[in-house]
């Protein structure tokens, strides 16, 4: 009797636990809808066990065919240096190959993501009756596809603000090409890596203004959520094409988008942006951020003091440029970084913080309407 009753009791306990969990989630929808949506969205968004579906070629409508050499000029990098990180990536045309390589080094110090995106479209890209976007790709650097979070992003407005729509996708390891569908219904509005609570669903009927890719250590979640066992370092994603897909692809007509040039983008910026952007570029340059990150690594991992780290840098550079020139370079760097730090603090308190306060208040007013 004991052999039969113990498994039955365990089964009943598991059934009770499952029913209680479902009841708790549903009941919380009435007491606190925010909690319920958070729980259900995590289940839906982070299920990496779903099978990978490959599209048929006849279902695809390429927008960017990377067999054409001029397609590469339509993209720009958007790595975590914009957030104070030191990751770096680039798109490279492979001679004699019908694909590009998106490759780089992703570091978790101060960031943890690499990205690339199209320059803005002059007019919205009409999607017709398409079901979603697709990407044809394979991971060439290694087989740890599940140790990184892969995302495709798009915009439905001309604005290049921090809010956009993203969808995660999963890549099958190996040398075979993945032609992966990303239905529009899977795209969610995000701000950085965070889901925007209560945001409207994507409406692509008025067209798309931008398409991009992100490789990150962060899952799409309401809070900053890192993927377990994220693999930093070198990666290479080879991409053949990106575009729209539809079960009736023959009835979907798409024209190549007209891309704004970097000069046109600068001209279209508001006056305040034209004034602020050069100052930001001067005060928060990528080289300065990389030097700060290198200093932090030397102090944290090597236990060096700031003076010892500076002497270490002088010694390393002296092997290439000589001791005198190396010392002069170090003095120039210290002086420049000190001036940048002082001006950066002044700029932050005088302009950046008041500006963010105005933006925050405007969002609150907009949400109350």
């Amino acid at each position: 009797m004991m052999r039969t009753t113990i498994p039955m009791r365990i089964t009943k306990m598991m059934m009770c636990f499952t029913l209680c969990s479902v009841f708790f989630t549903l009941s919380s929808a009435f007491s606190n809808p925010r909690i319920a949506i958070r729980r259900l969205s995590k289940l839906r968004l982070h299920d990496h066990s779903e099978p990978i579906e490959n599209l048929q070629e006849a279902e695809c409508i390429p927008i960017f065919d990377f067999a054409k050499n001029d397609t590469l000029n339509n993209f720009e990098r958007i790595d975590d240096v914009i957030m104070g990180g030191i990751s770096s990536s680039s798109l490279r045309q492979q001679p004699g190959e019908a694909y590009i390589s998106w490759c780089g080094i992703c570091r978790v110090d101060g960031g943890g993501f690499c990205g690339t995106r199209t320059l803005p479209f002059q007019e919205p890209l009409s999607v017709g009756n398409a079901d979603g976007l697709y990407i044809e790709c394979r991971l060439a650097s290694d087989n740890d596809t599940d140790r990184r979070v892969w995302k495709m992003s798009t915009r439905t407005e001309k604005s290049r603000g921090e809010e956009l729509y993203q969808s995660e996708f999963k890549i099958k390891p190996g040398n075979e090409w993945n032609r992966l569908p990303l239905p529009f219904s899977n795209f969610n509005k995000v701000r950085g890596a965070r889901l925007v609570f209560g945001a409207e669903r994507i409406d692509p009927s008025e067209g798309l203004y931008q398409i991009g890719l992100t490789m990150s250590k962060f899952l799409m979640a309401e809070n900053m959520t890192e993927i377990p066992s994220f693999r930093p370092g070198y990666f290479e994603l080879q991409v053949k094409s990106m575009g729209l897909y539809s079960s009736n692809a023959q009835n979907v007509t798409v024209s190549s988008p007209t891309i704004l040039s970097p000069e046109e983008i600068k001209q279209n910026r508001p006056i305040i942006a034209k004034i602020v952007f050069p100052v930001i570029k001067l005060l928060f340059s990528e080289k300065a951020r990389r030097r700060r990150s290198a200093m932090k690594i030397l102090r944290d991992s090597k236990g060096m003091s700031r003076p010892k780290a500076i002497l270490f840098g002088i010694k390393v550079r002296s092997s290439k440029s000589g001791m005198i020139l190396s010392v002069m370079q170090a003095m120039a760097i210290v002086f420049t970084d000190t001036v940048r730090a002082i001006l950066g603090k002044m700029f932050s308190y005088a302009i950046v913080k008041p500006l963010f306060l105005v933006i925050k208040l405007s969002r609150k007013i907009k949400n109350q309407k």
Side-chain angles (χ1 to χ4, degrees), residues 148-183:
R148 304 177 181 93
V149 183
W150 306 93
K151 308 172 189 176
M152 181 175 279
S153 59
T154 189
R155 296 181 187 273
T156 56
E157 298 176 349
K158 277 188 175 181
S159 169
R160 301 188 80 193
E162 58 181 339
E163 290 188 0
L164 45 73
Y165 289 94
Q166 279 189 339
S167 174
E168 294 178 6
F169 62 91
K170 188 177 179 182
I171 304 170
K172 187 185 296 182
N175 293 324
E176 294 184 7
W177 289 97
N178 298 257
R179 197 180 291 118
L180 306 172
L182 289 88

Side-chain angles (χ1 to χ4, degrees), residues 169-315:
F169 62 91
K170 188 177 179 182
I171 304 170
K172 187 185 296 182
N175 293 324
E176 294 184 7
W177 289 97
N178 298 257
R179 197 180 291 118
L180 306 172
L182 289 88
F184 286 128
S185 58
N186 284 3
F187 281 81
N188 292 271
K189 182 171 275 192
V190 296
R191 185 183 297 119
R194 293 185 177 94
L195 290 168
V196 178
F197 176 75
E200 66 278 8
R201 303 295 297 176
I202 187 172
D203 180 12
S205 61
E206 299 298 323
L208 307 178
Y209 281 92
Q210 197 171 55
I211 297 173
L213 296 173
T214 302
M215 188 279 289
S216 175
K217 70 175 182 179
F218 298 108
L219 292 160
M220 288 169 57
E222 194 169 326
N223 298 312
M224 297 296 284
T225 306
E226 296 185 18
I227 187 173
S229 67
F230 172 73
R231 175 169 176 165
Y234 180 76
F235 74 95
E236 180 185 357
L237 185 72
Q238 296 174 347
V239 185
K240 269 189 178 181
S241 64
M242 293 193 298
L244 300 167
Y245 82 91
S246 174
S247 54
N248 297 314
Q250 294 179 349
N251 298 327
V252 179
T253 304
V254 177
S255 58
S256 298
T258 303
I259 306 292
L260 290 174
S261 67
E263 291 74 20
E264 290 173 322
I265 294 170
K266 290 179 182 178
Q267 290 176 0
N268 293 337
R269 284 175 182 165
I271 295 175
I272 185 68
K274 290 179 180 178
I275 297 171
V276 171
F277 274 27
V279 178
I280 292 175
K281 191 174 181 180
L282 175 66
L283 296 178
F284 308 102
S285 69
E286 185 172 341
K287 283 185 178 180
R289 286 197 294 267
R290 291 188 182 279
R291 283 200 297 270
R292 284 197 297 270
S293 297
M295 176 67 73
K296 186 176 183 300
I297 291 170
L298 289 174
R299 296 183 71 176
D300 293 347
S301 62
K302 302 293 184 181
M304 292 184 181
S305 62
R306 187 177 182 83
K308 283 186 177 181
I310 293 172
L311 291 173
F312 176 78
I314 292 172
K315 184 178 179 181

Side-chain angles (χ1 to χ4, degrees), residues 100-125:
I100 59 166
S101 289
W102 177 36
C103 55
I105 297 175
C106 185
R107 296 183 174 92
V108 295
D109 301 302
F113 70 88
C114 290
T116 184
R117 65 184 181 184
T118 61
L119 295 168
F121 302 155
Q122 191 169 18
E123 298 294 335
L125 174 70

Side-chain angles (χ1 to χ4, degrees), residues 10 23 28 59 70 88 119 133 140 145 162 188 197-198 212 240 269 276:
I10 293 173
F23 175 76
S28 63
E59 298 177 283
D70 59 340
S88 179
L119 295 168
L133 297 171
T145 56
E162 58 181 339
N188 292 271
F197 176 75
K240 269 189 178 181
R269 284 175 182 165
V276 171

